[in-house]
Amino acid sequence: MTDSKSTKSSNHTSNEMWGGRFAAGPSAIMQEINASIDIDKRLWREDIDGSKAHANMLAAQGIITAEDRDQILGGLAKIAEEISIGAFAFSAEREDIHMNIEARLADLIGPAAGRLHTARSRNDQVATDFRLWCRAAATRMMAGLSALQTALVEKAETHADTVMPGFTHLQTAQPVTFGHHCLAYVEMFARDKGRFEDARARLNENPLGAAALAGTSFPLDREATSASLGFDRPMANSLDAVSSRDFALELLAAASICAVHVSRLAEEIVNWSSAQFGFVQLSDRFSTGSSIMPQKKNPDAAELCRAKSGRIIGDLNALLIMLKGLPLAYSKDMQEDKEQTFDGIDALELALAAMSGMISDMSVNEANMAAAAGSAFSTATDLADWLVRVLNMPFRQAHHVTGALVAMAESKGVDLADLSLDDMQSVEQSITQDVFSVLTVEASVASRTSFGGTAPDNVRQQARQWQAALTDQ
Ligand code: ARG
């Protein structure tokens, strides 16, 4: 109910679009709950594109005259210009974007405007506009993901040899390379992109021509409007065309999964940039200070990326719950689909951009990573593997022997590599000097050459493949 929103008034004249059977206008509260213009004005381009396609088709089919079509197209072009330069007065009395544009068209061209809505309803109109918007949104999310992947691949290439601790349960497990860690996210984001691509392909069908719900008696050419709007085909069932919003659900589902991936990476950045880890430093451009503690540099952008996931998942939930009890065909509940979808997509778009910036700008503290990588007996598995490979010990026994050596090192307060050969042989007689060659962090990561493993050569090769794939797009 703020004044900055579109003009609202409780005028008592009936609605100019559908007021034929109404004696009085809506109450102010009715208008407040009914109007969606503050949200759906974002669909203006799609609405105008849909109307142009419809007008062209109506004229081609002889349903309206060429003169009326030309007037309609001229008026729509003028409206597009008015909106794009901020000279269009959006009005809550005119409820939504469809009626705002149509009423303005009537202001501009008079009675011919009234012919545009022949064989069309706001039900197929809004479904068309919204599909077009979601299609473009999927494309934007894919571009945002490519940019983020590019930033990560660049870090992976630079840090193919940089060792860091790999964790399970957030306990040091085995050394990995930072490049390998970055590429793990590149893989996740590739699948996210695939989900947006799938959603985009599935939503690309044309509802226009379904009219209110039952189709129309006018001889429409739905193939023609499909082709001019870039849809693959007209939707085959008019009830489905006006009632389904699974395309928005899919978009938000893809966004939610992607947001979870962004959030996990954000959480890592929060950890890594803490004094306790000291693995990375964020640039000033992507961090903030504290108003009271002069030494602080806070990873706010990462924290907000982490938070956005909650919001996006919330948007998906709201839309699922809004739809779940709706009978066919259109119900006004569905008007609330757009606010959630816009919110979720805006949030993800911003999070992807912020994450790309943070990753690109971030500096890596290789010395701290290397020190941490070598601590907490991280090469214990390498020792066990050596016992298996060189002494032909069954792995279970090797695990036991290694455990005893770790306990010994721990009680002496040293690393495994600092034990003497005598110490080693006091636990397992047949151990030789050669064992020390596998106890360094560098040897450990270099040995992980299995497909998909963390060896620097693997990482370099994968990074190059990704670089090529991403520049090919
Ligand atoms: N603003 C409406 C929406 O977004 C447009 C469709 C209105 N249709 C109707 N039958 N009232 O859903």
Side-chain angles (χ1 to χ4, degrees):
M1 297 202 185
T2 56
D3 288 335
S4 62
K5 288 188 178 177
S6 319
T7 46
K8 291 184 177 107
S9 76
S10 58
N11 74 325
H12 292 287
T13 54
S14 64
N15 186 287
E16 56 194 309
M17 292 294 134
W18 42 251
R21 73 180 289 270
F22 287 79
S27 82
I29 292 169
M30 178 60 204
Q31 194 172 83
E32 179 79 26
I33 196 170
N34 199 37
S36 58
I37 187 62
D38 287 325
I39 305 295
D40 61 27
K41 62 176 148 198
R42 283 181 68 168
L43 294 176
W44 69 268
R45 284 188 194 79
E46 290 78 9
D47 199 68
I48 288 177
D49 287 347
S51 288
K52 283 190 197 161
H54 189 62
N56 279 322
M57 181 276 292
L58 291 177
Q61 295 298 100
I63 301 168
I64 64 172
T65 64
E67 296 74 58
D68 284 344
R69 175 201 58 206
D70 291 345
Q71 283 208 46
I72 290 168
L73 295 180
L76 289 171
K78 172 92 176 98
I79 292 170
E81 190 194 315
E82 288 177 355
I83 299 177
S84 61
I85 62 171
F88 188 96
F90 289 104
S91 137
E93 272 167 50
R94 289 172 171 179
E95 201 177 313
D96 59 21
I97 188 61
H98 324 293
M99 300 215 286
N100 267 263
I101 289 178
E102 196 185 323
R104 178 66 186 144
L105 190 63
D107 297 343
L108 290 170
I109 67 168
R115 300 199 184 275
L116 172 60
H117 216 51
T118 312
R120 187 177 77 169
S121 152
R122 277 188 295 155
N123 297 349
D124 59 338
Q125 191 177 356
V126 72
T128 304
D129 295 0
F130 197 25
R131 277 179 191 261
L132 291 173
W133 191 90
C134 287
R135 187 175 72 188
T139 306
R140 288 203 312 282
M141 296 309 106
M142 291 169 69
L145 279 163
S146 292
L148 177 51
Q149 287 182 302
T150 303
L152 284 162
V153 168
E154 200 188 296
K155 279 280 174 292
E157 163 109 83
T158 313
H159 293 286
D161 296 282
T162 303
V163 287
M164 69 180 281
F167 300 97
T168 60
H169 316 270
L170 199 59
Q171 309 282 317
T172 298
Q174 292 173 352
V176 294
T177 62
F178 184 58
H180 195 54
H181 201 113
C182 290
L183 290 181
Y185 283 98
V186 173
E187 297 284 340
M188 293 181 229
F189 292 132
R191 291 192 294 275
D192 291 337
K193 227 190 308 183
R195 274 179 277 272
F196 282 114
E197 196 171 8
D198 290 349
R200 188 178 63 178
R202 212 169 355 263
L203 70 73
N204 202 31
E205 292 190 322
N206 184 16
L208 193 60
L213 74 165
T216 170
S217 57
F218 289 96
L220 299 186
D221 182 352
R222 296 191 60 207
E223 296 288 347
T225 53
S226 299
S228 68
L229 294 169
F231 285 120
D232 294 333
R233 63 191 80 83
M235 290 184 75
N237 181 300
S238 61
L239 291 166
D240 177 42
V242 297
S243 307
S244 295
R245 294 292 184 270
D246 52 310
F247 63 91
L249 290 176
E250 256 192 280
L251 190 71
L252 283 176
S256 296
I257 297 171
C258 178
V260 167
H261 291 158
V262 171
S263 180
R264 293 182 72 172
L265 178 54
E267 167 70 8
E268 307 234 54
I269 291 175
V270 171
N271 286 338
W272 294 341
S273 61
S274 69
Q276 287 69 22
F277 275 77
F279 285 2
V280 302
Q281 200 174 12
L282 294 175
S283 70
D284 290 351
R285 301 192 325 138
F286 284 97
S287 34
T288 57
S290 155
S291 55
I292 184 169
M293 297 166 283
Q295 85 285 10
K296 290 289 292 275
K297 194 166 173 188
N298 295 326
D300 292 34
E303 293 168 302
L304 288 163
C305 284
R306 193 172 57 185
K308 295 291 183 202
S309 60
R311 182 186 183 112
I312 296 165
I313 295 163
D315 288 325
L316 170 62
N317 269 308
L319 192 51
L320 283 164
I321 294 164
M322 182 275 279
L323 280 168
K324 81 171 184 62
L326 296 188
L328 303 187
Y330 179 85
S331 299
K332 197 62 175 259
D333 311 51
M334 291 163 73
Q335 176 162 284
E336 304 245 332
D337 55 3
K338 286 169 284 297
E339 188 166 6
Q340 315 300 335
T341 308
F342 294 164
D343 183 78
I345 293 299
D346 287 348
L348 183 63
E349 189 163 25
L350 187 56
L352 289 172
M355 189 52 87
S356 303
M358 262 185 291
I359 297 286
S360 296
D361 278 19
M362 182 169 90
S363 58
V364 174
N365 190 332
E366 299 176 17
N368 283 355
M369 276 191 184
S375 71
F377 314 109
S378 65
T379 55
T381 314
D382 299 272
L383 173 51
D385 287 350
W386 183 90
L387 296 170
V388 170
R389 201 173 49 245
V390 180
L391 303 186
N392 200 24
M393 210 179 259
F395 183 77
R396 283 292 157 222
Q397 190 190 340
H399 186 286
H400 191 78
V401 169
T402 307
L405 288 167
V406 166
M408 177 188 276
E410 195 167 35
S411 73
K412 290 180 181 255
V414 298
D415 283 335
L416 278 174
D418 300 324
L419 291 176
S420 67
L421 186 58
D422 282 349
D423 289 336
M424 295 260 188
Q425 288 174 341
S426 74
V427 173
E428 169 52 56
Q429 230 185 352
S430 19
I431 292 180
T432 65
Q433 184 66 31
D434 180 60
V435 76
F436 291 99
S437 69
V438 300
L439 295 183
T440 68
V441 168
E442 287 70 24
S444 171
V445 293
S447 74
R448 299 292 195 276
T449 53
S450 58
F451 181 76
T454 198
D457 285 345
N458 277 5
V459 172
R460 245 184 303 278
Q461 196 193 346
Q462 294 274 342
R464 289 203 190 111
Q465 275 171 16
W466 273 115
Q467 239 152 19
L470 286 163
T471 40
D472 256 17
Q473 279 176 352

